[in-house]
Amino acid sequence: MSSDFAQSAPGVVSNPTETGIARATASFERMDPAEAARTLEPVLAADPASVAGWNLMARLRLALDDNQGALEAANRAIALAPDSPGALATASRALSLLGKHEDAVTMAYRAVIAEPKNPLWHDRVAWALLAADRQFADAEQAARTAIGLDPNEPHYYFTHGVALEALGHTDQARQALLTSLRMEPENPVAQHRLAVLNGEAAREPTPTKRSFKLFGRKKT
């Protein structure tokens, strides 16, 4: 809510925390996470009990490649709201990127328990397990669950393809990647993964960021 709106709407009291979060979110949506973080920092200093603020800060820190900062912000949100699925999932992603895979898997499953009908958290379980290089069957099951909950999201078919490839099911992996690309033809990460599977390109040594999903928006 802008100050102009507050002035033009008598009786409406602007909440400084909500206003600051809205402004930071707008900067984030304009693909300027650094500006968003600068906007949000004084908001959290003034209101350190804002779960939404810490959740957003955690996502911003991930976008800025500050994985430790993301984990710390997510942990602040979790301390305030232990069953906040977004904070749990963001913490899981930060932990995966920090190489703390056991904790990442645990956090991902906690997010699923907190909100079992949200496909994002099942997708996070799949990627936490894939990053840990173990329990590929469970990763494949998590990816299938995400697809069942949202069959119109191409990213979940991409995740499923990666999990199937890890299990050695090359033909099924290829079909999952082709499905993802039919839905999102210009996705370069899915294109490259399929080319690798077809022996047409070299495998990248580590997953790209597009292999993960930032909750509420995609990282491109």
Side-chain angles (χ1 to χ4, degrees), residues 35-167:
E35 175 60 27
R38 285 192 293 270
T39 300
L40 192 57
E41 283 168 355
V43 175
L44 288 171
D47 185 4
S50 172
V51 176
W54 286 115
N55 269 325
L56 178 57
M57 181 60 82
R59 293 171 59 206
L60 293 171
R61 292 301 177 197
L62 278 179
L64 292 167
D65 293 324
D66 179 7
N67 300 323
Q68 185 60 44
L71 179 59
E72 291 169 4
N75 282 337
R76 292 290 295 268
I78 293 166
L80 293 164
D83 293 327
S84 171
L88 292 165
T90 304
S92 172
R93 182 166 184 267
L95 286 161
S96 285
L97 293 169
L98 289 166
K100 299 178 180 180
H101 298 299
E102 192 69 35
D103 291 338
V105 171
T106 298
M107 285 289 192
Y109 275 117
R110 284 181 60 186
V112 166
I113 291 168
E115 193 179 17
K117 296 299 184 182
N118 192 323
L120 283 168
W121 317 146
H122 293 277
D123 185 72
R124 174 87 284 272
V125 167
W127 281 107
L129 291 169
L130 288 166
D133 199 28
R134 63 180 176 84
Q135 293 177 253
F136 296 140
D138 290 342
E140 189 270 338
Q141 174 64 58
R144 276 195 289 119
T145 300
I147 291 170
L149 291 167
D150 184 1
N152 298 315
E153 171 52 59
H155 175 79
Y156 302 145
Y157 294 93
F158 173 76
T159 303
H160 194 211
V162 174
L164 286 165
E165 182 187 359
L167 284 168

